[in-house]
Amino acid sequence: MRALALPLALLAASPAAAQDLSLMLDWFVNPDHAPIIVAQELGFFAEAGLTVDITAPADPSDPPRMLASGQVDLAVGYQPQLHLQVHEGLPLTRIATLVATPLNCLTVIADGPVQSVADLKGRKVGYSVPGMETALMGAMLDRAGLTLDDVELVNVGWSLSPALMTGQVDATLGGFRNFEMTQMRLEGAEGRCLFVEEQGIPAYDELILLANPETMDPDATARFVAAMERGAHYILNHPDQAWRVFRDAHPDLDDELNRQAWAATLPRFSQSPGAVDHGRYARFEAFLRDAGLIDGVLPVSALARDPGA
């Protein structure tokens, strides 16, 4: 019997098996996801007792619905869309903030005829996603004394920058200021961003982490968010080393566009991702109600929570 004592003792002393979590991103891996990728590559998730499987969606509309149906444990989403999705009845809640400022941008040619929202009268505006972007555009036009009837909205799909640079439209809404502006500059066109939060739109969290409140594991979720926070802090404290970690994990992204996008995104990462800005969520609910996209206002607790709650 003594021969069994050592193996049994080692088994008893071995650490508990890591808990598996599946995370679906909102799109292909890019610098917006840096705190998650850095936390993965530096072992912060592993130290939190987690094995995280990170995947990209085939379609950017898939993650919230896959999360709601239990196909993944966590998903990256967007605060504006979260409000609409919860009102549609999807079981979703925000449990962390990844990018804590809007990235959406009303983009124009820097030396072109449109220098303000008021200059859009009689012109074409390109967009990708109907509904939310239409509401944002309507609010910005209203602030400038115009209505949606004063512009022509053109769905250009995901070809926002090409549509603007070729003159197909006079402005675009939906491009991210940390990517599209850089992309235009690298292609020889200088763009100008009219920041939506300076044009009458309430500030909001761009990228957020979503969970299904009906099935989430609060303890595992809290550990995930704490590890992601470590990733955000590491990026802030060691930006060059963090870029190398990110680049080595995804060498296909080692190009000038992603290097410049990395630098543009760093100051926008939340350093307290678990904290809920209740006023921010309440104000955006009111904005959507006033824009006619929702019938009533939900309490913030129906939309967002602390990851450990």
Side-chain angles (χ1 to χ4, degrees):
M1 295 295 294
R2 292 187 63 187
L4 295 175
L6 182 58
L8 288 173
L10 288 175
L11 182 62
S14 65
Q19 184 170 351
D20 294 333
L21 280 181
S22 56
L23 167 69
M24 179 163 282
L25 303 177
D26 59 305
W27 195 227
F28 56 84
V29 174
N30 62 72
D32 291 343
H33 309 126
I36 294 171
I37 303 303
V38 168
Q40 178 85 310
E41 295 302 311
L42 294 183
F44 297 158
F45 290 136
E47 291 174 17
L50 301 171
T51 298
V52 181
D53 178 34
I54 302 172
T55 58
D59 186 301
S61 65
D62 288 343
R65 302 192 183 280
M66 292 181 69
L67 176 61
S69 63
Q71 297 178 66
V72 294
D73 298 311
L74 301 169
V76 174
Y78 309 90
Q79 182 192 335
Q81 281 75 9
L82 170 67
H83 291 261
L84 299 183
Q85 290 156 355
V86 172
H87 278 273
E88 290 171 3
L90 291 182
L92 301 173
T93 188
R94 169 265 182 220
I95 48 91
T97 298
L98 188 57
V99 176
T101 74
L103 293 177
N104 200 348
C105 180
L106 180 64
T107 308
V108 300
I109 299 296
D111 59 356
V114 178
Q115 295 296 309
S116 69
V117 175
D119 295 332
L120 288 173
K121 185 176 176 62
R123 299 184 182 276
K124 297 179 180 180
V125 179
Y127 71 97
S128 297
V129 182
M132 181 58 66
E133 288 176 6
T134 305
L136 296 179
M137 192 69 251
M140 289 188 284
L141 290 168
D142 181 69
R143 188 170 182 264
L146 302 175
T147 71
L148 287 171
D149 292 334
D150 292 311
V151 302
E152 180 182 349
L153 295 178
V154 181
N155 191 330
V156 297
W158 302 110
S159 298
L160 292 166
S161 296
L164 179 60
M165 289 188 292
T166 58
Q168 180 183 347
V169 295
D170 302 292
T172 60
L173 182 63
F176 278 3
R177 62 193 67 168
N178 55 339
F179 274 93
E180 271 74 11
M181 298 292 290
T182 301
Q183 181 184 40
M184 290 178 63
R185 186 165 56 250
L186 292 175
E187 295 184 14
E190 194 65 33
R192 177 166 176 254
C193 178
L194 302 180
F195 303 107
V196 296
E197 68 272 28
E198 296 177 1
Q199 305 296 328
I201 307 301
Y204 55 86
D205 299 334
E206 189 69 63
L207 266 65
I208 56 177
L209 197 69
L210 302 172
N212 184 329
E214 298 175 358
T215 59
M216 65 179 284
D217 180 330
D219 176 66
T221 300
R223 285 184 280 131
F224 180 97
V225 174
M228 189 179 81
E229 181 175 301
R230 288 183 65 189
H233 290 176
Y234 185 89
I235 293 168
L236 181 66
N237 294 334
H238 311 284
D240 294 335
Q241 296 96 314
W243 163 252
R244 289 193 289 271
V245 169
F246 180 85
R247 175 201 64 194
D248 291 348
H250 297 278
D252 56 311
L253 301 182
D254 186 14
D255 56 28
E256 191 59 28
L257 172 60
N258 281 285
R259 281 191 289 272
Q260 291 193 29
W262 173 274
T265 312
L266 293 195
R268 300 183 181 276
F269 290 128
S270 173
Q271 296 299 309
S272 300
V276 180
D277 186 334
H278 288 256
R280 174 170 287 195
Y281 280 77
R283 286 190 294 272
F284 209 84
E285 271 285 284
F287 165 73
L288 293 176
R289 178 200 58 203
D290 295 343
L293 289 184
I294 57 177
D295 294 330
V297 171
L298 291 172
V300 174
S301 59
L303 301 161
R305 65 175 65 188
D306 179 277

